[in-house]
Structure formats: structure tokens, C-alpha cells
Amino acid sequence: MQPLNYPRFPFRFKNRENKVYIFDVIRKKFVVLQPEEWVRQHVVHQLIFNKDYPKSHINVEKQLVINNMKKRYDVVVFNPSGSIEILVECKAPEVKITQGVFDQIARYNLQLKANYLMVTNGLDHFYCKMDLENESYSFLRDVPHYSAGAIQ
């Protein structure tokens, strides 16, 4: 897989039936290594190892229903009260981050109501802080560190 704009992490890999698998520390199993999964695992490791989010607050690839359609989010980070603090949309490195990608995460967030959004293809990363009350957002340089007190 191509290098991404993240630090190097100690990933675990295995080969089986002519496929490469990567160990997901959240799902606690090996999953097929596809380009989007490569990005997702970097995001998870970034949140855990560089932003100090507890593994127990992170969820990966769960289903949600929007307008009677089944969708899956990539990564969410819960706060201690159980509401969603960060919603992450991952794309493969070759997928450009377009308005359509932002529209997708915005649709998900209408239901999930996360305080922060992150969109990444592993090369380009975009972060927003949501103001749900005023239905607005502001772009950030990064998501906050867990110890920054943003997660209550």
C-alpha cells in the first residue's frame, strides 16, 4: 500500500488465500487490506496513539439507517456520556475529497449529531467543529487531543 500522510504505525499483517489482511485493534480481528481500510486503520491508530483516545470510545464500520437506506460509517469516537464526539469518513487514497464526500458525512451527521467531523483519503485531511444549535461549522487544523478537554 502507498504511504499516507500519517506517522508510521506498528500494524500487524498476515497473508491468507492470496490476500493481505491487517489487524483491526478495535474489531479485534484481521480484515482484508483494501485501500480504504488502509486509510481507516491509520485514522484509528492516529486517534489512539497520537491523540490518546481510549480504544473503548472508538467504533468502526457500524450500520446506520438514513432515509430507510442502510449505510455504514467508517469511524466514530464516543464521549463518556455515550454521544458521538467525532465522525470520520474515510476514502481510498485515489478518491478525491469533493463536495459529494462532505455531503455524505453531513447526511450521516444529521442523524448522529457528532461535534467534530473528519474527512480523509489518507493524503488530504479535513476537520470541522460543528455548531449543531446554529447549524454551522468551522474548519480546524486537526481534531482535538483527548486530554484537551473537548471530550466531556
Side-chain angles (χ1 to χ4, degrees), residues 37-90:
E37 190 64 44
W38 183 234
V39 173
R40 185 171 21 257
Q41 291 307 312
H42 276 80
V43 167
V44 167
H45 280 69
Q46 175 78 356
L47 290 168
I48 294 168
F49 296 111
N50 293 346
K51 296 295 183 176
D52 292 330
Y53 286 94
K55 286 183 202 175
S56 61
H57 290 210
I58 300 172
N59 207 322
V60 174
E61 277 216 309
K62 294 291 181 188
Q63 182 175 291
L64 66 151
V65 178
I66 298 176
N67 296 328
N68 296 319
M69 295 178 63
K70 292 179 182 178
K71 302 290 184 178
R72 292 180 87 74
Y73 61 70
D74 287 307
V75 180
V76 296
V77 178
F78 293 95
N79 62 33
S81 69
S83 59
I84 296 176
E85 195 65 22
I86 304 171
L87 172 61
V88 183
E89 179 60 31
C90 300

Side-chain angles (χ1 to χ4, degrees), residues 82-150:
S83 59
I84 296 176
E85 195 65 22
I86 304 171
L87 172 61
V88 183
E89 179 60 31
C90 300
K91 296 297 184 188
E94 66 272 7
V95 176
K96 291 202 180 305
I97 304 300
T98 63
Q99 184 63 48
V101 176
F102 283 102
D103 293 346
Q104 177 185 0
I105 198 170
R107 280 191 304 276
Y108 291 4
N109 205 43
L110 286 173
Q111 180 176 333
L112 299 174
K113 302 199 182 320
N115 291 315
Y116 295 90
L117 303 180
M118 175 181 174
V119 175
T120 181
N121 62 6
L123 304 173
D124 298 311
H125 320 295
F126 299 91
Y127 313 94
C128 298
K129 176 161 182 26
M130 301 303 298
D131 180 346
L132 299 171
E133 194 172 299
N134 294 310
E135 298 180 351
S136 65
Y137 59 90
S138 55
F139 281 96
L140 304 172
R141 290 183 180 264
D142 202 349
V143 292
H145 192 277
Y146 183 75
S147 66

